Coordinates of all heavy atoms in Angstrom, one line a residue:
R387 N 122.5 125.4 208.2 CA 122.1 126.3 207.1 C 121.6 127.6 207.7 O 120.7 127.6 208.6 CB 121.1 125.8 206.2 CG 121.5 124.5 205.5 CD 120.5 123.9 204.6 NE 119.1 124.2 205.0 CZ 118.1 123.9 204.3 NH1 118.2 123.2 203.3 NH2 116.9 124.3 204.7
P388 N 122.1 128.8 207.2 CA 121.7 130.0 207.8 C 120.2 130.3 207.7 O 119.6 130.8 208.8 CB 122.3 131.1 206.9 CG 123.5 130.4 206.3 CD 123.1 128.9 206.2
E389 N 119.5 129.8 206.7 CA 118.0 130.0 206.7 C 117.2 129.2 207.7 O 116.2 129.6 208.1 CB 117.5 129.7 205.3 CG 117.8 128.4 204.8 CD 119.1 128.2 204.0 OE1 120.0 129.1 204.0 OE2 119.3 127.1 203.4
D390 N 117.9 128.2 208.3 CA 117.2 127.5 209.4 C 117.1 128.3 210.6 O 116.2 128.0 211.5 CB 117.9 126.2 209.7 CG 117.8 125.2 208.5 OD1 116.8 125.3 207.7 OD2 118.6 124.2 208.4
V391 N 118.0 129.2 210.8 CA 118.0 130.1 212.0 C 117.6 131.5 211.9 O 117.7 132.3 212.7 CB 119.3 130.0 212.7 CG1 119.7 128.6 213.2 CG2 120.4 130.6 211.9
G392 N 117.1 131.8 210.6 CA 116.7 133.2 210.2 C 117.9 134.1 209.9 O 117.7 135.3 210.0
A393 N 119.0 133.5 209.4 CA 120.2 134.3 209.2 C 120.4 134.4 207.6 O 119.9 133.7 206.8 CB 121.4 133.7 209.8
K394 N 121.3 135.4 207.3 CA 121.8 135.5 205.9 C 123.2 134.8 205.9 O 123.9 134.7 206.9 CB 121.9 136.9 205.6 CG 120.6 137.6 205.6 CD 120.8 139.2 205.4 CE 119.5 139.8 205.6 NZ 119.7 141.3 205.9
P395 N 123.6 134.4 204.7 CA 124.9 133.8 204.6 C 126.1 134.6 205.2 O 127.1 134.1 205.8 CB 125.1 133.5 203.1 CG 123.7 133.4 202.6 CD 123.0 134.3 203.4
E396 N 126.0 135.9 205.0 CA 127.0 136.8 205.5 C 127.1 137.0 207.0 O 128.1 137.5 207.6 CB 126.9 138.2 204.9 CG 125.6 138.9 205.1 CD 124.6 138.7 204.1 OE1 124.7 137.7 203.3 OE2 123.7 139.5 204.1
D397 N 126.2 136.4 207.7 CA 126.1 136.4 209.2 C 127.0 135.3 209.8 O 127.1 135.3 211.1 CB 124.7 136.2 209.7 CG 123.8 137.5 209.3 OD1 124.2 138.6 209.3 OD2 122.6 137.2 209.1
R398 N 127.4 134.4 209.0 CA 128.1 133.1 209.5 C 129.2 133.4 210.6 O 129.4 132.5 211.5 CB 128.6 132.3 208.4 CG 127.6 131.6 207.7 CD 128.2 130.7 206.6 NE 127.2 130.0 205.8 CZ 126.9 128.8 206.0 NH1 127.5 128.1 206.9 NH2 126.0 128.2 205.3
D399 N 129.9 134.4 210.5 CA 131.1 134.6 211.4 C 130.9 135.5 212.6 O 131.8 136.0 213.1 CB 132.3 135.2 210.5 CG 132.8 134.1 209.5 OD1 132.7 132.9 209.8 OD2 133.3 134.6 208.4
T400 N 129.6 135.5 212.9 CA 129.3 136.5 214.1 C 128.8 135.6 215.3 O 128.4 134.5 215.2 CB 128.1 137.4 213.7 OG1 127.0 136.6 213.5 CG2 128.4 138.2 212.5
T401 N 129.0 136.2 216.5 CA 128.5 135.6 217.7 C 127.1 135.4 217.7 O 126.5 134.4 218.1 CB 128.9 136.5 218.9 OG1 130.3 136.6 219.0 CG2 128.5 135.8 220.2
L402 N 126.4 136.4 217.1 CA 124.9 136.3 217.0 C 124.5 135.1 216.2 O 123.7 134.3 216.6 CB 124.5 137.6 216.2 CG 122.9 137.7 216.0 CD1 122.2 137.8 217.3 CD2 122.6 138.8 215.0
F403 N 125.2 134.8 215.1 CA 124.8 133.6 214.3 C 125.2 132.3 215.1 O 124.5 131.4 215.1 CB 125.6 133.6 213.0 CG 125.4 132.3 212.2 CD1 124.2 132.2 211.4 CD2 126.4 131.4 212.0 CE1 124.0 131.1 210.7 CE2 126.2 130.3 211.3 CZ 125.0 130.1 210.6
Q404 N 126.4 132.3 215.7 CA 126.8 131.2 216.6 C 125.7 130.8 217.6 O 125.4 129.7 217.9 CB 128.1 131.3 217.1 CG 129.3 131.4 216.1 CD 130.6 131.8 216.7 OE1 130.6 132.2 217.9 NE2 131.6 131.8 215.9
L405 N 125.3 131.9 218.3 CA 124.2 131.7 219.4 C 122.9 131.2 218.7 O 122.3 130.3 219.3 CB 124.0 133.0 220.1 CG 122.9 132.9 221.2 CD1 123.2 131.7 222.2 CD2 122.8 134.2 221.9
A406 N 122.6 131.7 217.6 CA 121.3 131.3 216.9 C 121.4 129.8 216.5 O 120.5 129.1 216.7 CB 121.0 132.1 215.6
C407 N 122.6 129.3 216.1 CA 122.8 128.0 215.8 C 122.7 127.1 217.1 O 122.2 126.0 217.0 CB 124.2 127.8 215.1 SG 124.2 128.4 213.4
E408 N 123.3 127.5 218.2 CA 123.2 126.7 219.4 C 121.8 126.7 219.9 O 121.3 125.6 220.4 CB 124.1 127.4 220.5 CG 125.5 127.2 220.2 CD 126.0 125.8 220.2 OE1 125.4 125.0 220.9 OE2 127.0 125.5 219.5
L409 N 121.0 127.8 219.7 CA 119.6 127.7 220.0 C 118.8 126.7 219.2 O 117.9 125.9 219.7 CB 118.9 129.1 219.9 CG 119.5 130.1 221.0 CD1 119.0 131.5 220.6 CD2 119.0 129.7 222.4
Y410 N 119.1 126.7 217.9 CA 118.5 125.7 217.0 C 118.9 124.3 217.4 O 118.0 123.5 217.4 CB 119.0 126.1 215.5 CG 118.6 125.1 214.5 CD1 117.3 124.5 214.5 CD2 119.4 124.8 213.4 CE1 116.9 123.6 213.5 CE2 119.0 123.8 212.5 CZ 117.8 123.3 212.5 OH 117.4 122.4 211.5
R411 N 120.1 124.1 217.8 CA 120.5 122.8 218.3 C 119.7 122.3 219.5 O 119.3 121.2 219.6 CB 122.0 122.9 218.6 CG 122.6 121.6 219.0 CD 124.1 121.8 219.2 NE 124.7 120.8 220.1 CZ 125.9 120.9 220.6 NH1 126.7 121.8 220.3 NH2 126.3 119.9 221.5
E412 N 119.5 123.3 220.3 CA 118.8 123.0 221.6 C 117.3 122.8 221.4 O 116.7 121.8 221.9 CB 118.9 124.2 222.6 CG 120.2 124.3 223.4 CD 120.4 123.1 224.3 OE1 119.4 122.6 224.8 OE2 121.5 122.7 224.5
F413 N 116.7 123.5 220.5 CA 115.2 123.4 220.3 C 114.8 122.5 219.2 O 113.8 122.0 219.2 CB 114.6 124.8 220.0 CG 114.6 125.7 221.2 CD1 115.5 126.7 221.3 CD2 113.6 125.5 222.3 CE1 115.5 127.5 222.5 CE2 113.5 126.3 223.3 CZ 114.5 127.3 223.5
G414 N 115.8 122.1 218.3 CA 115.6 121.1 217.3 C 114.7 121.3 216.2 O 114.3 120.3 215.6
R415 N 114.3 122.5 216.0 CA 113.5 122.8 214.8 C 113.9 124.2 214.2 O 114.3 125.1 215.0 CB 112.0 122.8 215.2 CG 111.6 123.8 216.2 CD 110.2 123.5 216.7 NE 109.7 124.5 217.6 CZ 110.1 124.6 218.8 NH1 110.9 123.7 219.4 NH2 109.6 125.5 219.6
P416 N 113.7 124.4 212.9 CA 114.0 125.7 212.3 C 113.2 126.8 212.9 O 112.0 126.6 213.4 CB 113.8 125.5 210.8 CG 113.8 124.1 210.6 CD 113.3 123.4 211.9
G417 N 113.7 128.0 213.0 CA 112.9 129.1 213.5 C 113.8 130.3 213.4 O 114.9 130.4 212.9
N418 N 113.3 131.5 213.8 CA 113.9 132.8 213.7 C 114.8 132.9 215.0 O 114.5 133.8 215.9 CB 112.9 133.9 213.6 CG 113.7 135.2 213.3 OD1 114.9 135.2 213.2 ND2 112.9 136.3 213.2
Y419 N 115.8 132.1 215.2 CA 116.6 132.1 216.3 C 117.6 133.4 216.3 O 118.1 133.7 217.4 CB 117.4 130.9 216.4 CG 116.5 129.7 216.7 CD1 116.4 128.7 215.7 CD2 115.8 129.5 217.9 CE1 115.5 127.7 215.9 CE2 115.0 128.5 218.1 CZ 114.8 127.6 217.1 OH 114.0 126.4 217.3
M420 N 117.7 134.0 215.2 CA 118.5 135.2 215.1 C 117.9 136.3 216.0 O 118.6 137.0 216.7 CB 118.7 135.7 213.7 CG 119.7 134.9 212.9 SD 121.4 134.9 213.3 CE 121.9 136.6 212.6
A421 N 116.6 136.4 215.9 CA 115.8 137.4 216.7 C 116.0 137.1 218.2 O 116.3 138.0 219.0 CB 114.3 137.4 216.3
L422 N 115.8 135.9 218.6 CA 116.0 135.5 220.0 C 117.4 135.7 220.4 O 117.7 136.3 221.5 CB 115.6 134.0 220.2 CG 115.8 133.5 221.6 CD1 115.1 134.3 222.7 CD2 115.3 132.0 221.7
A423 N 118.4 135.4 219.6 CA 119.8 135.5 220.0 C 120.1 137.0 220.1 O 120.8 137.4 221.0 CB 120.7 134.9 218.9
S424 N 119.6 137.8 219.2 CA 119.8 139.3 219.3 C 119.2 139.8 220.6 O 119.9 140.6 221.3 CB 119.1 140.0 218.1 OG 119.2 141.3 218.2
E425 N 118.0 139.4 221.0 CA 117.4 139.9 222.2 C 118.3 139.4 223.5 O 118.5 140.2 224.4 CB 116.1 139.2 222.4 CG 115.0 139.8 221.6 CD 113.6 139.1 221.9 OE1 113.4 138.7 223.1 OE2 112.8 139.0 221.0
L426 N 118.8 138.2 223.4 CA 119.6 137.7 224.5 C 120.9 138.4 224.7 O 121.3 138.9 225.7 CB 119.8 136.2 224.4 CG 118.6 135.3 224.5 CD1 119.0 133.9 224.1 CD2 118.3 135.2 226.0
L427 N 121.5 138.7 223.5 CA 122.8 139.4 223.6 C 122.6 140.8 224.0 O 123.4 141.3 224.8 CB 123.5 139.3 222.2 CG 124.0 137.9 221.8 CD1 124.6 138.0 220.4 CD2 125.1 137.5 222.8
S428 N 121.5 141.4 223.6 CA 121.2 142.8 224.0 C 121.0 142.9 225.5 O 121.5 143.7 226.2 CB 119.9 143.3 223.3 OG 119.6 144.6 223.8
E429 N 120.2 141.9 226.0 CA 120.1 141.9 227.6 C 121.4 141.6 228.3 O 121.6 142.2 229.3 CB 119.0 140.8 227.9 CG 117.6 141.1 227.5 CD 117.0 142.4 228.1 OE1 117.4 142.6 229.3 OE2 116.2 143.1 227.5
L430 N 122.3 140.8 227.8 CA 123.5 140.5 228.4 C 124.4 141.7 228.4 O 125.0 142.1 229.4 CB 124.2 139.4 227.7 CG 123.6 138.0 228.0 CD1 124.3 136.9 227.1 CD2 123.4 137.6 229.5
N431 N 124.3 142.5 227.3 CA 125.1 143.7 227.2 C 124.5 144.8 228.2 O 125.3 145.7 228.5 CB 125.1 144.3 225.8 CG 126.0 143.4 224.9 OD1 126.9 142.8 225.3 ND2 125.7 143.4 223.5
K432 N 123.3 144.7 228.5 CA 122.7 145.7 229.5 C 123.0 145.3 230.9 O 122.6 146.0 231.8 CB 121.2 145.7 229.3 CG 120.7 146.4 228.0 CD 119.2 146.4 228.0 CE 118.6 146.7 226.7 NZ 117.1 146.4 226.7
G433 N 123.7 144.1 231.1 CA 124.0 143.7 232.3 C 123.1 142.7 233.0 O 123.3 142.3 234.2
S434 N 122.2 142.2 232.2 CA 121.3 141.1 232.8 C 122.1 139.8 233.1 O 123.1 139.6 232.5 CB 120.2 140.6 231.8 OG 119.3 141.8 231.6
R435 N 121.7 139.2 234.1 CA 122.4 137.9 234.5 C 121.9 136.7 233.7 O 120.8 136.7 233.3 CB 122.3 137.8 236.0 CG 122.9 138.8 236.8 CD 122.9 138.6 238.3 NE 122.5 137.4 238.7 CZ 121.5 137.2 239.6 NH1 121.0 138.3 240.3 NH2 121.0 136.0 240.0
C436 N 122.6 135.7 233.8 CA 122.3 134.5 233.1 C 121.6 133.4 233.9 O 121.7 132.3 233.7 CB 123.6 133.8 232.5 SG 124.2 134.8 231.1
S437 N 121.0 133.9 235.1 CA 120.3 132.9 236.0 C 118.9 132.6 235.4 O 118.3 133.4 234.6 CB 120.3 133.5 237.4 OG 119.4 134.6 237.4
E438 N 118.4 131.4 235.8 CA 117.1 131.1 235.4 C 116.1 132.2 235.9 O 115.2 132.6 235.1 CB 116.7 129.7 236.0 CG 117.4 128.6 235.4 CD 116.9 127.2 235.9 OE1 115.8 127.1 236.3 OE2 117.7 126.3 235.8
K439 N 116.3 132.6 237.1 CA 115.4 133.6 237.7 C 115.4 134.9 236.9 O 114.3 135.5 236.6 CB 115.8 133.9 239.1 CG 114.8 134.7 239.9 CD 115.3 134.8 241.4 CE 114.3 135.6 242.2 NZ 114.7 135.6 243.6
A440 N 116.6 135.4 236.5 CA 116.7 136.6 235.7 C 116.1 136.5 234.4 O 115.3 137.3 233.9 CB 118.1 137.0 235.6
L441 N 116.2 135.3 233.7 CA 115.7 135.1 232.4 C 114.2 134.9 232.4 O 113.4 135.4 231.5 CB 116.3 134.0 231.6 CG 117.8 134.2 231.3 CD1 118.4 132.9 230.7 CD2 117.9 135.2 230.2
L442 N 113.7 134.3 233.5 CA 112.2 134.3 233.6 C 111.6 135.6 233.8 O 110.6 135.9 233.2 CB 111.8 133.4 234.9 CG 111.9 131.8 234.6 CD1 111.7 131.1 235.9 CD2 110.9 131.5 233.6
K443 N 112.2 136.5 234.6 CA 111.8 137.9 234.8 C 111.7 138.6 233.5 O 110.9 139.5 233.3 CB 112.7 138.6 235.8 CG 112.4 138.3 237.2 CD 113.2 139.2 238.1 CE 113.0 138.9 239.6 NZ 113.7 139.7 240.4
L444 N 112.6 138.3 232.5 CA 112.6 139.0 231.3 C 111.6 138.4 230.3 O 111.4 138.9 229.2 CB 114.0 138.8 230.6 CG 115.2 139.5 231.3 CD1 116.5 139.1 230.7 CD2 114.9 141.0 231.2
G445 N 110.9 137.4 230.7 CA 109.8 136.8 229.9 C 110.1 135.7 229.1 O 109.3 135.2 228.2
Y446 N 111.3 135.1 229.2 CA 111.7 133.8 228.5 C 111.0 132.6 229.1 O 111.1 132.4 230.3 CB 113.2 133.7 228.4 CG 113.8 134.9 227.6 CD1 114.5 135.8 228.2 CD2 113.6 135.0 226.2 CE1 115.1 136.8 227.6 CE2 114.2 136.1 225.6 CZ 114.9 137.0 226.2 OH 115.5 138.0 225.6
G447 N 110.4 131.8 228.3 CA 109.6 130.7 228.8 C 110.5 129.5 229.1 O 110.9 129.2 230.3
N448 N 110.9 128.8 228.1 CA 111.7 127.6 228.3 C 113.2 127.9 228.3 O 113.9 128.0 227.3 CB 111.4 126.7 227.1 CG 112.0 125.3 227.3 OD1 112.5 125.0 228.3 ND2 111.9 124.4 226.3
I449 N 113.7 128.3 229.5 CA 115.0 128.9 229.7 C 116.1 127.9 229.8 O 117.3 128.3 229.5 CB 115.0 129.9 230.9 CG1 114.6 129.2 232.1 CG2 114.2 131.1 230.5 CD1 114.8 130.0 233.3
K450 N 115.9 126.7 230.2 CA 117.0 125.8 230.4 C 117.8 125.5 229.0 O 119.1 125.6 229.1 CB 116.5 124.4 230.9 CG 116.1 124.4 232.4 CD 115.8 123.1 233.0 CE 115.2 123.3 234.3 NZ 116.1 123.6 235.3
P451 N 117.1 125.3 227.9 CA 117.9 125.2 226.7 C 118.6 126.5 226.4 O 119.7 126.5 225.7 CB 117.0 124.8 225.6 CG 115.6 124.9 226.1 CD 115.8 125.0 227.6
I452 N 118.0 127.6 226.6 CA 118.7 128.9 226.4 C 119.9 129.1 227.2 O 121.0 129.5 226.7 CB 117.7 130.1 226.7 CG1 116.5 130.1 225.7 CG2 118.5 131.4 226.6 CD1 115.4 131.0 226.0
I453 N 119.9 128.7 228.4 CA 121.0 128.8 229.3 C 122.1 127.8 228.8 O 123.3 128.2 228.8 CB 120.7 128.5 230.7 CG1 119.9 129.7 231.4 CG2 121.9 128.3 231.7 CD1 119.3 129.5 232.7
R454 N 121.8 126.6 228.4 CA 122.8 125.7 227.9 C 123.5 126.2 226.7 O 124.7 126.1 226.5 CB 122.1 124.4 227.6 CG 121.8 123.5 228.8 CD 121.4 122.1 228.4 NE 120.2 122.0 227.5 CZ 119.0 121.7 227.9 NH1 118.8 121.6 229.2 NH2 118.0 121.6 227.1
A455 N 122.7 126.9 225.7 CA 123.3 127.4 224.5 C 124.2 128.6 225.0 O 125.4 128.7 224.4 CB 122.2 128.0 223.6
L456 N 123.9 129.5 225.8 CA 124.7 130.6 226.3 C 126.0 130.0 226.9 O 127.0 130.6 226.7 CB 124.0 131.5 227.2 CG 122.8 132.3 226.7 CD1 121.9 132.9 227.7 CD2 123.4 133.4 225.8
K457 N 125.9 129.0 227.7 CA 127.1 128.4 228.4 C 128.0 127.8 227.4 O 129.2 127.9 227.6 CB 126.6 127.5 229.5 CG 126.1 128.2 230.7 CD 125.7 127.2 231.8 CE 125.3 128.0 233.0 NZ 125.0 127.2 234.2
R458 N 127.5 127.1 226.4 CA 128.3 126.4 225.4 C 129.2 127.5 224.7 O 130.4 127.2 224.3 CB 127.6 125.7 224.5 CG 127.4 124.3 224.8 CD 127.0 123.3 223.7 NE 125.8 123.7 223.1 CZ 124.6 123.5 223.4 NH1 124.4 122.8 224.5 NH2 123.6 123.9 222.7
L459 N 128.8 128.7 224.5 CA 129.5 129.8 223.9 C 130.3 130.6 224.8 O 130.9 131.6 224.5 CB 128.5 130.6 223.0 CG 127.9 130.0 221.8 CD1 127.0 130.9 221.1 CD2 129.1 129.6 220.8
K460 N 130.2 130.2 226.1 CA 130.9 130.9 227.2 C 130.4 132.4 227.3 O 131.2 133.3 227.6 CB 132.4 130.8 227.0 CG 132.8 129.4 227.1 CD 134.3 129.3 227.1 CE 135.0 127.9 227.2 NZ 134.2 126.8 227.0
L461 N 129.1 132.6 227.1 CA 128.5 133.9 227.2 C 127.9 134.1 228.6 O 127.6 135.2 228.9 CB 127.4 134.1 226.1 CG 127.9 134.1 224.7 CD1 126.7 134.1 223.7 CD2 128.8 135.3 224.5
C462 N 127.8 133.0 229.3 CA 127.4 133.0 230.8 C 128.4 132.2 231.6 O 129.0 131.3 231.1 CB 126.0 132.3 230.8 SG 124.7 133.4 230.2

């Protein structure tokens, strides 16, 4: 459900929504994953790498589920 990830119904066909859903799947509880997904996609567009070390430098705490979500969508 879109509201479980902080999305609107019209967001369903976007990469942002797909990433938010994958993050929800990884973390297992509802939350504002649209905001996290937006931050991650922005960083990737700036040229950030998908390594654990790079994501830790950006301030992301629990990065293993984040990397798994990114890899499932072939964003990393």
Side-chain angles (χ1 to χ4, degrees):
R387 298 179 335 174
E389 57 271 12
D390 288 342
V391 297
K394 299 174 188 162
E396 58 268 19
D397 294 327
R398 284 183 181 260
D399 294 329
T400 66
T401 301
L402 181 64
F403 178 75
Q404 292 171 356
L405 180 54
C407 289
E408 289 299 329
L409 292 167
Y410 175 39
R411 180 176 159 191
E412 281 294 328
F413 289 101
R415 62 188 182 284
N418 189 5
Y419 296 110
M420 288 292 281
L422 176 56
S424 179
E425 284 180 35
L426 289 166
L427 291 175
S428 177
E429 289 299 327
L430 292 175
N431 287 333
K432 290 179 192 174
S434 292
R435 295 186 4 230
C436 290
S437 69
E438 287 185 31
K439 189 175 182 179
L441 291 173
L442 280 172
K443 280 185 182 178
L444 293 172
Y446 296 108
N448 191 3
I449 56 171
K450 290 188 187 286
I452 292 172
I453 291 174
R454 284 192 301 263
L456 290 166
K457 286 184 176 182
R458 266 198 305 279
L459 291 176
K460 297 184 178 17
L461 296 171
C462 285

